Structure formats: structure tokens, C-alpha cells
């Protein structure tokens, strides 16, 4: 028997994590950002993905065919990853399922206004929770149970940060309904609940969130088995990318967002808790009901504590780090859950990260040995003439007279037929049926498809194979003008006590976007500059510095886009090359000690076409 989880997500009582064949559900495709949050594609994009999925469950989806803003992106359905053709970035994707009566099934989208006065959609779980409260005519909604310290006020259609008291506008708009489907899911499409591939991040911040979530779910499972022995009426634990516990509204105010579907029996074997499942609306756990009451009242509701469940370690919860509002909420929720299970809780004040070294006099600042100069500047991009797309493509490919009967992974048409861009793109001298093979890797594509891919990129005279990410030519980016300084300071990084420190200072001012940027002619912002970064002064650290200088000259360190932290668009953001911005600690995951960092950043530079061979040229 299928059950409806919190946020309207549908789950089966079996172990595969998807509904039975006779149950309709809404499909939402989502991609994983660098903060471990699943962001939904639009309904139009999801319809396009589903259509391709019906034709070939192991093929690829060209997102630019339905949304021009997603032109660089391709989804590989077999590996369940999104690939960005112009940067080589890969991100996991998943196919998620919701009740047809939920917000995505009705085409309802909730959005908040960012600093750029544009609108950003909420994550799908949050969107559904807001819509459920809106339909029940609740005056306000507390998002603490989802891991966010925000209050939603429906009368004023605003969102307020409980810590800073800052308010933002929000809106509810109607859009295309997400696709409806029935039947089982191919195993290759059920990665989020099946095979484990593509971990989002290994920094301490993400590891903290994931480990806290797992511990909390295990504690709730043990406690519910004690409260409801024998399996009858066992309450399933909701597991998702954010915290949620119990119901959001007190008994008597309507069915909770995580209620059991009408006419279905809430049965499950003890300990068998499916993903995204939650408690039925008619039963609530002590201490977790009525989260609208003040925190002191909620804490007082935990009157009877059970003994420590066997096999659950009595570990203190301490040093939940981070400066954002999510982490205090995680600490509070973890405390409530552990208290309910009778476990000891030790919530301590998080230590502050040491972002900068002690003051250094000008006389102590020295040039980096083996590196010429102390400063690099970049100016506006000078477009090189005579590099038309046809010439660039022909430079790196060999014509194939008899192409094999297989797919071109750019247009998804067979190589033995004409390019899918026939009629869309027209170039003299390139017939739509011509096929070429890239020289290094040997992958084959329609010439017209390669020209279309090049036109969607930076048009810098280089190509990147969409299959294996091999780079042809010298790849450059869209970094705006700025300055990079580097020098030696007489202090040591944690883990490198025998070495001095290389300090890099990036400074980029605000400006106007050029033709290579997302919105030419529009102003872009540059938050947090100058940005200070640190490397150990040893052989490998100096090698990384030299390669970072090359990447800076090629405009690969930064780009203009949307900040995943603030949601602000048209702002300067990092461009897939990680830097260490924390000098004396590693509380944010962006500091030292980190024994693998230098090797990791060398690999990231290599993925951008910046290798040791460039230093010898």
C-alpha cells in the first residue's frame, strides 16, 4: 500500500522507493547544487525530460531545446547527471514524485524576491508545505521544521528572517502543471533512492548536515518503536534533504502536510521507514506536536523520556558550526529529537572561524619564491577576429565518410541522419548530414551540432567534448575585469607549521556585463571583495599558485551568475575552482588542515585545461 509523505511526496511501502504501477503521481526532476539542496527544474523542462525518457531511458536530454537559458546543459539519463558543456561541470539529478493534488500537480509555484528584485522559486518540499498551509487558510507558517528560520505571513505575502527580522516579498503564481505518470521506474532512474553515486560534497559543512540528519532519523525510529510496539500504527520517519518532524499545525486545525492519503491504512513493518515519509495527521509524537507554539512551550511538552535505545550511542551534540541561519535551527531540532529519545545533549556555542592571519607589516610581505611579479590585472575581453565557428570546429575534427549508426549526443539524432539543428542553424559549407570525429578522444558528432555548441559557449576558439570533457585549444572564461595580488606572509597554516603562507587577494569591482555575459549591458554586483585566499609556501603550493595565475589570465577563476548562497543574480561568483578562504581554522570547510586540497585543486584546474604543461610553454 502506498503512502503519502510529508510535502505530498509519494512512496511505496516496499524497498524500491517508488509507487506501484496503478498509482498516478507527479514527476519533478531536480538537480543537486553545491550546498546539498535539490533544486527543481521548471515544469516545461520536466515535460521535455519525460518525453525523452519515454523514447530512450538511457539517452541524453538537451535542455536548450526547451529553455534557451539552459542551452549549455545536457542530462545523461543513464548516469543521472547534468553536464554543462562550456565548463565541464557535472551535477547529480533525480526524478522525484509527488501527489497529483500537491502544488506541482496544480502548477502552483511559490517564489521569494531576491536582492536583485527578481524572483527565485523555493525548493519543492518548501513550496508544497507553503501551499498546504495556504490552502488551510493559516495566517502564517513557521519553516523551522524544514531547517530554515523563516516565518511566512500570508496576509502580507512576506517572508521574515527570525534572526535578522529582515522581510522579503513572496508570491504565488500559476504555471504549467508538472507531468503526470504511472507505472514503475527504470532502475537507472531511481538513483536518489537506489544506487549511491555522486556525493554532493565532502566539506565539513555538508558532512555535518548529513550526519546530523541520519542520527536524528535513527533516534526517532527507535523512539517510535518504543511508543508503538508490535508494528501496529508505527509512525514512519520522514527523511529528506532538510529537517521536518511531526506536523506543522496543532490538532484540530486541519490535516497536516504529512498526512496519510484518505482511505489508506498506515501500516509498515517496524523499522522499515521509507524516504520522505512522515507521521499520519491523527497521531503526533510528544514534544514534536504544534511547532507554532513558542520554543519554551514546545520544550516543556517533552514530559516523559524513554531510556536510551539499545545500540544508539550517547554522543553529545556540540560545535554545530556556521554563520548562516540554517545551523542554529539544525542544532535546536537535533536537541529536541535527542531529548525525546532520552539522549544527553550538549549544545555549545560554535567557535568563530579564523578568517585572517595576524596583522602583517609591509616590510614582512615578500614576493613568492620562483614566481615573477606580485600582481596580475585583467581588462575587458578583446574579441579575436577571424575565429568564425566553422573554422574552429574544422580545426579539431576529422570528417567521417561512413558514420556509425549511433546517436549524436548533442542533438540526439542518429549520426546516419541529418543534424537536429537542421533548419534552426544555417552555415555555409556545412551540410546537416556531415559528421566529424574529434582528434584526441575520437568521439563523433554532427558538424552542425558542434557549431551550435560552440555558439552557445564563450566563442574563444576552444572546444570541449560533451562526452569526455576533453578540451581542444585554450579554454577561456567570462571573468570580469579585476586584479589578482599574491605575496608571502610570515605565518603558518594549520597542517603546514614548517612553511610560510602564500596569500592571494582577488579584487573585482562592480561593472557592466559584456557580450559574453548572461545579460549584456546590465549592471553586475561584486560582493565580498577583496577576497583573501591562502596556500602553503611549499613546492606544491607554489605550483598551484602558478596555475591559478594562468587560470586568472584566462578568466577562469570567477564568472557572473546567480549566487547559490544568497540567490542574487547578476553577481560575481566562483567558477568551479575551489579556494581556501579561512586562514587559521577549518570550520566552514574552506580552511586548513585539509591534506587533499592541493591535489583536488590541481585536478579542478586540469578540468579547466590548466595543467603543468602550460607552465612549460
Amino acid at each position: 500500500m502506498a503512502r503519502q509523505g510529508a510535502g505530498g511526496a509519494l512512496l511505496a511501502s516496499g524497498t524500491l522507493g517508488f509507487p506501484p504501477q496503478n498509482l498516478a503521481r507527479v514527476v519533478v526532476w531536480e538537480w543537486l547544487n553545491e550546498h546539498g539542496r535539490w533544486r527543481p527544474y521548471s515544469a516545461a523542462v520536466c515535460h521535455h525530460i519525460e518525453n525523452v525518457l519515454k523514447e530512450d531511458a538511457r539517452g541524453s536530454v538537451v535542455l536548450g531545446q526547451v529553455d534557451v537559458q539552459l542551452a549549455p546543459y545536457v542530462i545523461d539519463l543513464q548516469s543521472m547527471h547534468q553536464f554543462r558543456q562550456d565548463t565541464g561541470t557535472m551535477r547529480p539529478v533525480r526524478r522525484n514524485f509527488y501527489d497529483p493534488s500537491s502544488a506541482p500537480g496544480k502548477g502552483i509555484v511559490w517564489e521569494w524576491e531576491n536582492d536583485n528584485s527578481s524572483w527565485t522559486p523555493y525548493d519543492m518540499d518548501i513550496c508544497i508545505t507553503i501551499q498546504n498551509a495556504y490552502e488551510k487558510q493559516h495566517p502564517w507558517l513557521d519553516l523551522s521544521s524544514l531547517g530554515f528560520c523563516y516565518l511566512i505571513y500570508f496576509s502580507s505575502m512576506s517572508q521574515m528572517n527570525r534572526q535578522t527580522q529582515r522581510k522579503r516579498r513572496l508570491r504565488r503564481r500559476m504555471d504549467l502543471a508538472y507531468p503526470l505518470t504511472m507505472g514503475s521506474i527504470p532502475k537507472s532512474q531511481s538513483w536518489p533512492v537506489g544506487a549511491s553515486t555522486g556525493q554532493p560534497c565532502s566539506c565539513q559543512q555538508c558532512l555535518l548536515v548529513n550526519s546530523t540528519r541520519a542520527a536524528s532519523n535513527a533516534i526517532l525510529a527507535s523512539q517510535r518503536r518504543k511508543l508503538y510496539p508490535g508494528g501496529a500504527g508505527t509512525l514512519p520517519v520522514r527523511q529528506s534533504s532538510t529537517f521536518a518532524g511531526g506536523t506543522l499545525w496543532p490538532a484540530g486545525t486541519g490535516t497536516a502536510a504529512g498526512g496519510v492519503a484518505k482511505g489508506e491504512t498506515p501500516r509498515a513493518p517496524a523499522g522499515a521507514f521509507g524516504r520522505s515519509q512522515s507521521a499520519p495527521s491523527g497521531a503526533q509524537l510528544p514534544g514534536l506536536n504544534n511547532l507554532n507554539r513558542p520554543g519554551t512551550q514546545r520544550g516543556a511538552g517533552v514530559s516523559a523520556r524513554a531510556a536510551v535505545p539499545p545500540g544508539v550511542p550517547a554522543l553529545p551534540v556540540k560545535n554545530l558550526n556556521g554563520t548562516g541561519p540554517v545551523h542554529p535551527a539544525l542544532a535546536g531540532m537535533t536537541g529536541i529529537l535527542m531529548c525525546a529519545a532520552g539522549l544527553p545533549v550538549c549544545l555549545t556555542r560554535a567557535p568563530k572561524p579564523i578568517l585572517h592571519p595576524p596583522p602583517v607589516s609591509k616590510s614582512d610581505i615578500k614576493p613568492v619564491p620562483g614566481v615573477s611579479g606580485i600582481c596580475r590585472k585583467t581588462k575587458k575581453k578583446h574579441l579575436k577576429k577571424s575565429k568564425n565557428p566553422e573554422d574552429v570546429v574544422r580545426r579539431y575534427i576529422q570528417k567521417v565518410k561512413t558514420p556509425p549508426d549511433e546517436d549524436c549526443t548533442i542533438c540526439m539524432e542518429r549520426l546516419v541522419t541529418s543534424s537536429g539543428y537542421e533548419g534552426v542553424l544555417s552555415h555555409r559549407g556545412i551540410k546537416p548530414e556531415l559528421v566529424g570525429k574529434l582528434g584526441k578522444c575520437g568521439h563523433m558528432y554532427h558538424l552542425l551540432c558542434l557549431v551550435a555548441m560552440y555558439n552557445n559557449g564563450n566563442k574563444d576558439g576552444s572546444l570541449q567534448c560533451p562526452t569526455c570533457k576533453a578540451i581542444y585549444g585554450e579554454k577561456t572564461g567570462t571573468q570580469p575585469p579585476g586584479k589578482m595580488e599574491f605575496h608571502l606572509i610570515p605565518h603558518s597554516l594549520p597542517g603546514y607549521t614548517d612553511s610560510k603562507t602564500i596569500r592571494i587577494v582577488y579584487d573585482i569591482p562592480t561593472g557592466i556585463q559584456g557580450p559574453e555575459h548572461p545579460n549584456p549591458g546590465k549592471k553586475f554586483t561584486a560582493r565580498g571583495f577583496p577576497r583573501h585566499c591562502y596556500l602553503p609556501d611549499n613546492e606544491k603550493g607554489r605550483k598551484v599558485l602558478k596555475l591559478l595565475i594562468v587560470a586568472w589570465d584566462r578568466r577562469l577563476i570567477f564568472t557572473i551568475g546567480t549566487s547559490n548562497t544568497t540567490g542574487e543574480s547578476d553577481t560575481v561568483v566562483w567558477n568551479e575552482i575551489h579556494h581556501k578562504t579561512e586562514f587559521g581554522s577549518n570550520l566552514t570547510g574552506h580552511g586548513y588542515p585539509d591534506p587533499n586540497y592541493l591535489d583536488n585543486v590541481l585536478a579542478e584546474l586540469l578540468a579547466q585545461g590548466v595543467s603543468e604543461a602550460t607552465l612549460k610553454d
Side-chain angles (χ1 to χ4, degrees):
M1 179 69 71
R3 282 185 299 279
Q4 178 180 341
L10 289 173
L11 297 141
S13 56
T15 59
L16 292 178
F18 55 84
Q21 294 186 3
N22 61 347
L23 182 63
R25 68 266 198 206
V26 170
V27 178
V28 178
W29 284 82
E30 300 166 315
W31 58 277
L32 186 69
N33 69 13
E34 57 267 40
H35 301 290
R37 289 170 54 189
W38 290 98
R39 301 290 296 145
Y41 291 100
S42 68
V45 171
C46 290
H47 277 279
H48 177 58
I49 299 173
E50 286 294 302
N51 290 335
V52 175
L53 180 64
K54 293 176 184 177
E55 298 294 330
D56 184 5
R58 295 180 176 271
S60 298
V61 185
V62 182
L63 300 186
Q65 293 179 350
V66 68
D67 188 343
V68 293
Q69 294 183 340
L70 301 180
Y73 297 98
V74 175
I75 291 178
D76 177 40
L77 295 175
Q78 184 170 2
S79 64
M80 292 294 281
H81 276 77
Q82 169 192 278
F83 171 63
R84 179 166 177 165
Q85 300 176 72
D86 55 348
T87 65
T89 305
M90 297 185 71
R91 299 184 186 277
V93 299
R94 73 178 182 182
R95 189 178 186 228
N96 216 352
F97 305 93
Y98 297 92
D99 190 328
S101 63
S102 62
K106 298 176 181 178
I108 297 172
V109 180
W110 285 87
E111 300 172 319
W112 56 276
E113 187 178 32
N114 59 37
D115 293 334
N116 203 36
S117 298
S118 57
W119 295 93
T120 302
Y122 286 95
D123 296 351
M124 191 53 68
D125 281 351
I126 300 176
C127 174
I128 292 174
T129 301
I130 295 175
Q131 177 61 23
N132 287 341
Y134 178 84
E135 291 178 351
K136 296 177 178 64
Q137 299 183 349
H138 292 300
W140 55 278
L141 172 66
D142 187 350
L143 296 180
S144 298
S145 62
L146 296 178
F148 298 92
C149 62
Y150 294 108
L151 291 173
I152 302 295
Y153 294 100
F154 295 109
S155 58
S156 60
M157 290 298 282
S158 63
Q159 165 192 287
M160 187 185 75
N161 188 312
R162 300 180 66 175
Q163 289 188 334
T164 65
Q165 303 299 306
R166 181 179 180 181
K167 288 188 176 182
R168 295 180 185 270
R169 291 195 301 162
L170 75 152
R171 71 178 185 182
R172 174 182 181 268
R173 65 177 180 87
M174 298 301 297
D175 198 355
L176 181 69
Y178 279 81
L180 192 68
T181 188
M182 294 186 69
S184 59
I185 309 165
K187 190 172 183 180
S188 62
Q189 306 305 318
S190 58
W191 168 79
V193 293
S196 57
T197 171
Q199 292 184 354
C201 186
S202 59
C203 68
Q204 288 189 354
Q205 178 175 328
C206 294
L207 290 175
L208 171 66
V209 174
N210 292 332
S211 61
T212 306
R213 181 188 308 128
S216 301
N217 287 328
I219 293 165
L220 270 179
S222 298
Q223 181 65 6
R224 285 177 171 125
R225 285 196 295 268
K226 281 182 169 292
L227 293 174
Y228 305 95
T234 301
L235 299 184
V237 180
R238 182 181 189 274
Q239 301 175 357
S240 72
S241 56
T242 48
F243 271 105
T247 59
L248 288 174
W249 301 98
T253 59
T255 305
V260 172
K262 185 176 181 180
E264 295 178 344
T265 306
R267 291 183 181 177
F273 304 112
R275 184 183 173 278
S276 298
Q277 293 173 321
S278 67
S281 57
Q284 297 174 346
L285 278 180
L288 287 177
N289 57 346
N290 195 4
L291 290 181
N292 287 319
R293 291 184 294 169
T296 54
Q297 296 180 19
R298 292 198 302 265
V302 187
S303 57
R305 297 185 180 179
V308 177
V312 179
L315 298 176
V317 179
K318 59 175 64 179
N319 296 340
L320 293 180
N321 309 313
T323 57
V326 174
H327 302 289
L330 289 175
M333 287 300 298
T334 304
I336 293 173
L337 296 175
M338 294 186 74
C339 285
L343 296 178
V345 179
C346 177
L347 294 176
T348 62
R349 182 182 298 274
K352 294 183 179 180
I354 304 173
L355 299 178
H356 302 290
V360 180
S361 63
K362 289 186 177 180
S363 60
D364 290 332
I365 297 177
K366 305 294 181 182
V368 180
V371 180
S372 59
I374 59 172
C375 180
R376 306 288 282 218
K377 293 183 179 180
T378 56
K379 299 180 180 180
K380 291 184 178 180
K381 179 180 179 181
H382 298 286
L383 296 176
K384 298 180 181 179
K385 297 181 180 180
S386 75
K387 283 192 175 180
N388 61 68
E390 296 93 334
D391 293 340
V392 173
V393 170
R394 292 181 186 277
R395 183 184 309 162
Y396 303 120
I397 61 97
Q398 303 168 357
K399 287 186 179 180
V400 178
K401 294 182 179 180
T402 308
D405 186 17
E406 57 186 44
D407 285 342
C408 169
T409 56
I410 298 178
C411 70
M412 299 311 300
E413 299 291 343
R414 308 297 285 182
L415 290 173
V416 294
T417 63
S418 296
S419 166
Y421 285 92
E422 181 182 13
V424 179
L425 200 63
S426 176
H427 282 267
R428 289 181 299 175
I430 296 186
K431 297 180 181 180
E433 64 270 13
L434 288 179
V435 174
K437 179 174 70 173
L438 290 171
K440 293 180 185 177
C441 59
H443 291 111
M444 288 180 279
Y445 309 93
H446 293 112
L447 267 66
L448 198 59
C449 293
L450 289 173
V451 171
M453 185 183 74
Y454 180 81
N455 284 332
N456 282 329
N458 198 28
K459 302 177 185 176
D460 58 359
S462 70
L463 274 182
Q464 186 167 20
C465 175
T467 301
C468 67
K469 299 185 291 182
I471 296 175
Y472 295 81
E474 183 179 294
K475 178 181 177 180
T476 60
T478 60
Q479 176 180 289
K483 181 173 65 174
M484 173 188 184
E485 296 180 352
F486 40 89
H487 48 252
L488 210 61
I489 58 175
H491 297 292
S492 299
L493 293 166
Y496 297 94
T497 54
D498 297 332
S499 303
K500 294 182 180 180
T501 298
I502 300 170
R503 179 166 60 186
I504 306 171
V505 182
Y506 296 111
D507 197 4
I508 296 178
T510 58
I512 304 299
Q513 299 183 52
E516 71 274 25
H517 293 136
N519 297 297
K522 187 177 181 180
K523 182 180 178 180
F524 68 85
T525 59
R527 311 289 186 190
F529 287 95
R531 300 187 185 183
H532 292 228
C533 309
Y534 305 96
L535 292 168
D537 180 36
N538 55 25
E539 183 179 355
K540 187 174 288 187
R542 289 189 288 270
K543 180 195 298 183
V544 169
L545 173 62
K546 293 177 183 178
L547 294 176
L548 287 175
I549 293 173
V550 174
W552 172 266
D553 291 339
R554 295 183 183 179
R555 306 172 71 212
L556 295 169
I557 302 294
F558 296 96
T559 188
I560 294 177
T562 300
S563 170
N564 286 305
T565 304
T566 65
E568 180 182 12
S569 57
D570 298 303
T571 189
V572 180
V573 295
W574 293 105
N575 187 36
E576 310 298 337
I577 300 176
H578 285 79
H579 285 65
K580 292 295 187 180
T581 56
E582 193 175 344
F583 174 80
S585 56
N586 194 19
L587 300 181
T588 64
H590 304 296
Y592 295 93
D594 186 346
N596 299 319
Y597 169 67
L598 296 178
D599 291 328
N600 291 340
V601 75
L602 286 172
E604 291 171 346
L605 286 162
L606 182 61
Q608 299 287 346
V610 181
S611 63
E612 294 183 51
T614 60
L615 302 178
K616 301 175 183 178
D617 296 341

